[in-house]
Amino acid sequence: MVTAPDNDISDIKVDSVGDFTFPERNKYDSGFGITEKTVDFIADVKNDPDWIREFRHKALKIFQSKPMPTHWATKDLENIKFDEFRYYLSDGQKPKRSWDDVPEDVKRTFDRLGIPEQERKFLAGVEAQYDSEAAYSNIKAAVEEQGVIFVNSTEGLHKHPEIFKKWFGKVIPTGDNKFSALNSAVFSGGSFIYVPPGVKVKHPLQAYFRINSEQFGQFERTLIIADEGAELMYMEGCTAPKFETATLHSAVVELVAMKGAKIQYVTVQNWSSNVFNLVTKRGIAHEDAEVRWIDCNIGSRLTMKYPGVIMKGKRARGEVISIALANSGQHQDTGAKMVHAADDTTSNVISKSISIGEGRSTYRGLVHIPKHLKGCKNNTECDALLINSNSRTDTYPAISVRGNQHSTQHEASVSQVSADQIFYLMQRGLSEAEAMSLSVNGFINDLVKEFPMEYSVELKRLIDLEMEGSVG
Amino acid sequence: MSATLAPTPKNSPVPVSEAPDSPAPSGLEIIAPVRDETSAPGWFLARAEAAWAEFQKLPVPSVKDESWRYSNAKNIELGLHSPAISATEAQKQQALAASEGLKERTARFVFVNDELIESQTDALPAGVVCVSFAEALKSHGDVLKEHFMKREMTLGSAKFAALHLAHVKAGTVILVPKNVAIEKPIEVFHWVVGDHAAIFPHTLIVTGDNAEVSVVDHYRSLDGEGGLSIAIADLVSGTGSRITYAACQELADDAQALHLSSIVAGRDSNVKSFQVQLGAEFSRSETVSDLVGQGARSDMLSVSLPIGEQVVDQRTLQNHMAPHATSDLLYKNALYGKSRSIFSGLITVDETAHYTDAYQTCRNLLNSDEAEATSLPGLEINADQVKCSHGATSGPISDEELFYLKARGISDNESRKLIIEGFLADVLKRFGNSEVLDTLVARIDEKLERAV
């Protein structure tokens, strides 16, 4: 049931603005490759306002003209065949997938994580979405009472254009990089959140279920605005492997923390190992505001993700806490960007990575303190753990400081789990694998504590799982 | 001093206009080298000729090149420079008189505009070869052929290295046979004089098993006119041997300096290399340390004190190719005025280089509101049995420290000077050799007087 973008689209039925009934019809597929027709197809299906359609077309041109990052990035990027992807797919093939189609290792992971049968089916993409829709609606009702807007990005741009337009594409300009341009051309899904002044949202806002129910999470676009003094915590992804037919995931996430606001953005991603995960995430922190990224990357073939904070107002604070785990066939190229653009701003980066088997983890960082500022501080710590003799790790930070009223410090270390420690644990009856798991969990323990409880529990289980068979 | 170009020789092997299929080098005026074909061996002439073609072919690196990030190869103004021509007798005498450094030394060489003015080698132990580069081409061509510029220039200056190879005629070659220890250092002065004169000094040190030597190269300008020094040092240490090497760059404020060093550390050897960057408006050092033998140790040290609008660009590679080797890098920069420093260092550990201990530290002390320090420390680790770490800091002199000294009646300037001396002292102390240390400290103090 493939509807090519050049087909007549007059017979496509959209039930309401940007919203599709589920699941019996509306099988929209833009076909393979990306052209102006693809962009028009998406704009038509989603009933985009003209400015968004123009925005997409402009972005497509930038995407087509921009070269791949070549001089520093991994050569694996060259293996991305843009013509072999479908850029828009809704309700098409994924809901049809049955539990039987799920790869064995993903099933095993679900088992080990102790995820309930019903949820497993959902995770596999079978029709269990109504349950999760309901769950989502409950959360929505609770936050709506406080005046919080929490909708998908399509709904956001249609229903709240006055806020949406003001900030959309402002934190991450279309031409920021090739993949932000790609996302701008074909974006679909993602969240739009606005928290009114002074509102402190108690519940963490979770986006995993909703994105999946819409079944187009490949190019999601998220925009979160916390108005003056507002606070929120947002969580995306899940701690179970996503079974993605897609092999390219390219999200753009923009955060705006107004004066005195606080945003915490938690991501736990565990893609299957055929996914190129190329994501642009950046936040702006105004005066006395705080943007905090908590980021965990497990899985994917190649992840390139460097959450950043632009500290635009005085005393703003930026933080990135990240854990990356790279197993064989995986490259976790992650890091953080901290741009100090006002006096007395502080930033903190703590990054831990574990490389298992032939896995490769990379930390890439940027700390920028330009002229005419005073009292800026940055602290960066990166620790890498190598489990096997073929594991690989790299660290490439760039720290630029101007003026004599700032201080920065960067420290990185690479080590392996000490043989003494493993011996000690095995003496007490643990198997070698258990001893290794315990050591690795110890290595990241102080960061895992930063994650919400249920996430940290599953994170630990996931790490155990990845460690299995990696020693000996 | 006149600024005329060196006359184009009749026998110039590859004149610019006839360079094989090479487009005109972008805006470069450096002329084809002059070579004495009667005294240099054929292999050398062939390599020099190939290098000249290579130089013309290679593009000037741009800021888009990863190895020139935050810097600019155009700072090395090749377009303005010509290979230095012979200095006047008076200038030579002036340089000779000013060649003051170590009180006690085993040998001394003085070059002015790549011309040997003086060599004192009487005190050398028997068996040691310590000769000028030109002499070595004649007398020790075989050793030279084996070690001369054998390492690929991976840190960004391949073009400039090719230029060096095409033009090199001065410098020293020091070969220390096994079990010979030279107690006092060998000191070499390279003077440049004349408007936009370029020199290409070379240093080659090769030690046999358990041999020991220390060498200090000074790069200086005779007067305040802009010059260019593209210098290369090759250090090759034999099993269990010890090399200490210092390059002390004090060219004039409007000069430019490029100093490329390669270290090949053999089994259980110990190589200390030291970069002191005090002069030049733009100075770039590239130091590659290949740890090829088990148990080798390489200490890479650097001190810089940029003032005004000086730019100091430092690139390093600690390349662990053998197990049980140690490398330890400590670079310190104290910045004033609108000066800038760039440190980009990388530790690489090969898959087989287990039990590597590698450290890398860059510390920047920013003493003015407009000084800028950029640090790009890097690690690429492919083996798991390792201990590797790096650290980079930047910050001002702490108010408490300053207050403490001032409370004891020491002036603000004097306090700052003391603190900076202390900041740089722990790098200097690691050099070990007190003779050399005293000389370096004196030179740094001199610069500090100007800075504070």
Side-chain angles (χ1 to χ4, degrees), chain B residues 115-423:
Chain B
E115 188 185 344
L116 182 65
I117 302 301
E118 188 203 69
S119 67
Q120 294 174 354
T121 54
D122 310 341
L124 285 165
V128 173
V129 174
C130 180
V131 294
S132 73
F133 186 79
E135 177 63 30
L137 274 177
K138 281 186 259 177
S139 60
H140 289 83
D142 290 350
V143 187
L144 211 55
K145 189 178 178 183
E146 194 185 335
H147 299 291
F148 172 71
M149 289 185 73
K150 274 296 170 67
R151 325 302 298 181
E152 208 186 323
M153 291 294 162
T154 51
L155 296 184
S157 288
K159 184 178 176 76
F160 304 109
L163 183 65
H164 173 96
L165 207 168
H167 278 280
V168 60
K169 57 183 181 180
T172 44
V173 173
I174 297 153
L175 313 172
V176 189
K178 70 174 184 183
N179 300 327
V180 173
I182 305 174
E183 275 176 34
K184 287 173 186 135
I186 294 163
E187 192 171 33
V188 184
F189 288 88
H190 291 286
W191 293 93
V192 61
V193 57
D195 259 349
H196 305 298
I199 56 169
F200 303 92
H202 198 92
T203 305
L204 173 66
I205 305 168
V206 183
T207 50
D209 296 354
N210 305 314
E212 189 174 341
V213 66
S214 67
V215 178
V216 182
D217 272 329
H218 295 278
Y219 302 88
R220 294 184 188 177
S221 303
L222 193 55
D223 44 32
E225 296 165 65
L228 169 66
S229 165
I230 299 182
I232 293 188
D234 291 326
L235 317 181
V236 183
S237 65
T239 300
S241 68
R242 304 170 75 85
I243 298 176
T244 49
Y245 173 74
C248 188
Q249 185 272 112
E250 293 178 87
L251 295 170
D253 287 352
D254 53 356
Q256 288 136 27
L258 189 66
H259 202 279
L260 314 174
S261 310
S262 84
I263 296 155
V264 181
R267 193 181 171 115
D268 297 321
S269 70
N270 199 325
V271 181
K272 266 184 201 164
S273 63
F274 205 128
Q275 299 287 329
V276 183
Q277 311 270 15
L278 297 175
E281 63 179 9
F282 175 80
S283 69
R284 175 163 165 131
S285 67
E286 293 180 12
T287 308
V288 177
S289 195
D290 286 338
L291 293 114
V292 298
Q294 276 200 35
R297 181 181 172 99
S298 170
D299 287 274
M300 297 156 80
L301 307 165
S302 174
V303 160
S304 92
L305 201 67
I307 61 172
E309 295 192 8
Q310 284 184 316
V311 177
V312 177
D313 185 2
Q314 304 156 332
R315 313 275 162 162
T316 65
L317 175 62
Q318 293 154 268
N319 189 11
H320 281 263
M321 301 154 88
H324 295 286
T326 302
S327 66
D328 195 352
L329 177 148
L330 181 60
Y331 274 43
K332 288 201 175 187
N333 305 308
L335 296 97
Y336 288 87
K338 290 181 177 175
S339 69
R340 289 205 303 134
S341 72
I342 300 119
F343 168 79
S344 171
L346 187 63
I347 297 173
T348 60
V349 178
D350 279 8
E351 283 160 27
T352 53
H354 288 292
Y355 309 103
T356 287
D357 265 357
Y359 304 95
Q360 182 194 68
T361 306
C362 174
R363 299 204 188 287
N364 300 297
L365 197 58
L366 292 150
N367 296 293
S368 90
D369 202 21
E370 289 181 291
E372 183 179 311
T374 298
S375 313
L376 305 138
L379 297 168
E380 280 178 8
I381 313 297
N382 289 306
D384 68 329
Q385 306 277 337
V386 298
K387 275 196 282 182
C388 295
S389 67
H390 69 206
T393 58
S394 57
I397 289 178
S398 87
D399 289 342
E400 286 86 351
E401 259 180 274
L402 212 51
F403 175 79
Y404 179 87
L405 289 169
K406 282 157 82 175
R408 269 138 192 85
I410 302 166
S411 75
D412 185 78
N413 270 358
E414 197 58 31
S415 303
R416 285 176 191 278
K417 232 183 89 181
L418 281 172
I419 292 167
I420 290 157
E421 275 173 3
F423 170 74

Side-chain angles (χ1 to χ4, degrees), chain A residues 4 82 92 109 173 187 219 225 282 348 376 378 401 405 438:
Chain A
F82 288 104
T109 308
F187 74 93
F219 299 99
I225 299 143
R282 195 171 304 151
N348 186 35
C376 300
N378 163 265
V401 185
Q405 301 184 53
L438 196 62

Side-chain angles (χ1 to χ4, degrees), chain A residues 94-106:
Chain A
K94 289 180 207 169
K96 284 187 192 158
R97 205 194 301 129
S98 77
W99 181 242
D100 295 337
D101 295 336
V102 173
E104 211 41 56
D105 59 331
V106 177

Side-chain angles (χ1 to χ4, degrees), chain A residues 412-428:
Chain A
S413 73
V414 177
S415 55
Q416 93 258 38
V417 176
S418 87
D420 289 356
Q421 191 174 325
I422 298 296
F423 176 77
Y424 178 87
L425 292 168
M426 287 171 74
Q427 280 288 303
R428 271 135 191 84

